[in-house]
Amino acid sequence: MPVAVGSIVYNPETMLRYFTAGESHGEALVAFLSGMPAGLKVDQAFLDRELWRRQQGYGRGGRMKIERDTAHILSGVRDGMTIGSPIAVLLENKDWKNWAESLPVEKGDPAKHKGVASPRPGHADLAGALKYNFPEARYVLERASARESAARVAIGAVAKLLLRKLGMEVLSHVISVGEVSIENGATWKQIQALQAREEILLSCVDAEVEQQMKGEVDRVLKTGDSVGGVFEVVAQNVPPGLGTYAQWDERLDARLAAAVMSLQAVKAVEIGAGISAAASPGSAVHDEIGYQQTGPFTGFTRARNNAGGIEGGVSNGEEVRVRGYLKPISTLRRPLQSVDFATREPVKAAYERSDVCVVPAAGVAAEAMVALTLAGCALEKFGGDSITEILRNFKGYLEQLKNY
Ligand SMILES: Cc1cc2nc3c(=O)[nH]c(=O)nc-3n(C[C@H](O)[C@H](O)[C@H](O)COP(=O)(O)O)c2cc1C
């Protein structure tokens, strides 16, 4: 556990630390990533591709047409390599020019302020205004907005590059949009094929179901409503032994659940077949164990993976599968009932340009959170200050598994 002396925290719980800053319509978003080892090649095009993926999907609002995110790395990377120093990434908000006078840093002209007069149900507007004692919700939504998740995707991409060095890959796909859902799960091959696409519709592995999902979005577009859904993040080639049951907050399932739940609009997280397992007998749930001479990490095999690759808070060598359940988008073109902040009179909730469906994009943001979590666990297990040192530790551990 961390020990605080004055304002300095010794023994922080995680080696990999990160946080973000920035308002939705402010000048820029910034993400900080501290604890990455030296010597990791950073591929700028990969960061930008990940940012592009987060901006795609059928049902996104007008903003995605204005923004084309690019990751501007400010620190921690030199000559295309990490140098062990904190990494700071800046994402410019292209829309800032239209907001500079409404959201000035210095004291501005109150007439130019774009207040949000009535809190929107399902947003942080009311709770945030009450908490921070704002007379209206502009500054609340500026930070509560999922625009922030772009900053996480930028540093999540760096975490993915580290995981790749250790043979791990993290991707996502969409399980359902509204009431339309794929029948069976998706194989890793199918998910990989999705990621290679140059056009992202709803990131569903089944083309026919994807068209039905599009129909769900069209339906709510017509009625001024919105829709949610479920995405699944899959981490491939995760070795057994990440995370631990030794402490409640070191369990991999707990860490992944918190990481994915922290994304805007995610209201439930499922590991493996967690939800259906609750209604099934144990014999139908637990993944029977077999043995053969060789395997990716050990000779132990599983007939299925209902556990989602985690048992007792420890990765067990199977694919790690995490699902996020998204509520429907809160901003509605046909707004719900609210109250005017100033007069307390009943009014329709304020409307800001908005997406109506973000399930594929949320999946991409969740990939970043899963990658950051797994990278943190990997650094704790194989830790070292350089990639060379980490790879040496990693290979030694793989050898130990092989000889088990
Ligand atoms: C990628 C992504 C994009 C989002 N875009 C919007 C949007 O355009 N309009 C909206 O009302 N909510 C959007 N949301 C959801 C809200 O940010 C979120 O529901 C709101 O901040 C309240 O937080 P909570 O749902 O986590 O309680 C988006 C969420 C994600 C993950």
Side-chain angles (χ1 to χ4, degrees):
M1 295 304 273
V3 180
V5 179
S7 60
I8 302 170
V9 179
Y10 294 99
N11 188 23
E13 275 165 33
T14 53
M15 288 177 71
L16 194 66
R17 288 178 291 158
Y18 50 95
F19 55 95
T20 69
E23 282 82 43
S24 177
H25 299 97
E27 189 168 356
L29 295 167
V30 187
F32 304 88
L33 180 62
S34 186
M36 285 300 277
L40 177 70
K41 235 192 194 167
V42 175
D43 176 359
Q44 172 82 46
F46 177 65
L47 267 63
D48 289 346
R49 164 94 187 167
E50 290 291 282
L51 290 169
W52 172 81
R53 288 179 64 227
R54 194 203 70 95
Q55 295 189 287
Q56 303 308 301
Y58 191 69
R60 305 305 301 276
R63 179 147 196 198
M64 291 307 120
K65 295 185 186 88
I66 302 171
E67 307 279 0
R68 175 73 166 88
D69 286 328
T70 53
H72 178 51
I73 299 172
L74 298 173
S75 72
V77 180
R78 298 291 155 204
D79 273 324
M81 297 268 195
T82 56
I83 54 171
S85 308
I87 296 169
V89 185
L90 184 136
L91 278 72
E92 200 187 310
N93 282 330
K94 306 277 188 321
D95 210 12
W96 165 240
K97 54 182 181 305
N98 301 319
W99 285 82
E101 290 190 325
S102 325
L103 280 176
V105 173
E106 304 280 326
K107 177 101 191 83
D109 175 358
K112 305 249 165 81
H113 183 79
K114 291 184 186 159
V116 177
S118 51
R120 298 158 305 161
H123 273 289
D125 297 2
L126 180 57
L130 293 173
K131 176 177 169 67
Y132 291 100
N133 199 26
F134 294 135
E136 49 80 38
R138 169 53 60 196
Y139 300 140
V140 176
L141 74 88
E142 284 297 325
R143 182 62 189 158
S145 156
R147 172 86 190 118
E148 181 270 345
S149 64
R152 301 198 228 178
V153 169
I155 49 174
V158 180
K160 280 187 172 189
L161 292 173
L162 173 70
L163 292 175
R164 270 189 189 167
K165 279 290 212 193
L166 308 178
M168 289 178 252
E169 197 74 43
V170 182
L171 289 174
S172 67
H173 68 110
V174 170
I175 298 269
S176 70
V177 171
E179 292 188 352
V180 176
S181 182
I182 50 170
E183 289 279 308
N184 304 309
T187 64
W188 179 249
K189 260 208 157 129
Q190 288 175 311
I191 301 169
Q192 265 184 321
L194 269 184
Q195 197 245 1
R197 283 191 197 164
E198 287 308 318
E199 247 176 72
I200 298 178
L201 190 62
L202 285 154
S203 287
C204 180
V205 296
D206 183 322
E208 211 170 290
V209 177
E210 193 170 44
Q211 284 305 318
Q212 293 165 20
M213 289 176 171
K214 180 174 176 288
E216 284 283 280
V217 180
D218 285 333
R219 196 165 54 78
V220 294
L221 271 171
K222 264 192 215 117
T223 55
D225 216 319
S226 67
V227 69
V230 181
F231 59 78
E232 181 175 58
V233 180
V234 182
Q236 172 80 357
N237 222 21
V238 178
L242 298 191
T244 172
Y245 44 78
Q247 280 301 351
W248 64 271
D249 56 349
E250 296 172 20
R251 294 176 65 104
L252 179 58
D253 47 2
R255 289 170 70 166
L256 286 172
V260 174
M261 182 66 99
S262 75
L263 286 165
Q264 297 83 352
V266 172
K267 292 298 138 194
V269 180
E270 177 183 23
I271 308 281
I275 288 174
S276 62
S280 312
S283 56
V285 172
H286 304 300
D287 309 324
E288 287 188 307
I289 301 172
Y291 192 78
Q292 61 191 26
Q293 280 308 310
T294 54
F297 298 108
T298 69
F300 293 101
T301 59
R302 302 294 181 129
R304 58 189 176 208
N305 183 21
N306 285 334
I310 305 171
E311 287 169 306
V314 186
S315 62
N316 64 9
E318 300 297 306
E319 277 175 355
V320 169
R321 289 193 173 242
V322 188
R323 290 182 182 187
Y325 289 68
L326 282 184
K327 72 184 187 187
I329 289 295
S330 310
T331 308
L332 304 180
R333 196 160 38 79
R334 279 218 337 248
L336 294 173
Q337 198 56 41
S338 185
V339 168
D340 187 279
F341 272 116
T343 66
R344 310 291 152 104
E345 290 296 321
V347 287
K348 291 291 178 195
Y351 178 74
E352 292 252 323
R353 183 183 52 202
S354 178
D355 304 322
V356 299
C357 173
V358 296
V359 192
V364 175
E367 287 173 34
M369 294 310 289
V370 168
L372 285 160
T373 306
L374 290 175
C377 292
L379 287 173
E380 284 156 32
K381 181 136 181 68
F382 312 115
D385 296 307
S386 67
I387 287 294
T388 312
E389 191 179 358
I390 289 170
L391 282 178
R392 196 164 59 230
N393 295 340
F394 181 63
K395 282 180 187 148
Y397 179 65
L398 292 186
E399 204 53 37
Q400 176 189 314
L401 288 176
K402 281 264 177 265
N403 296 330
Y404 177 86

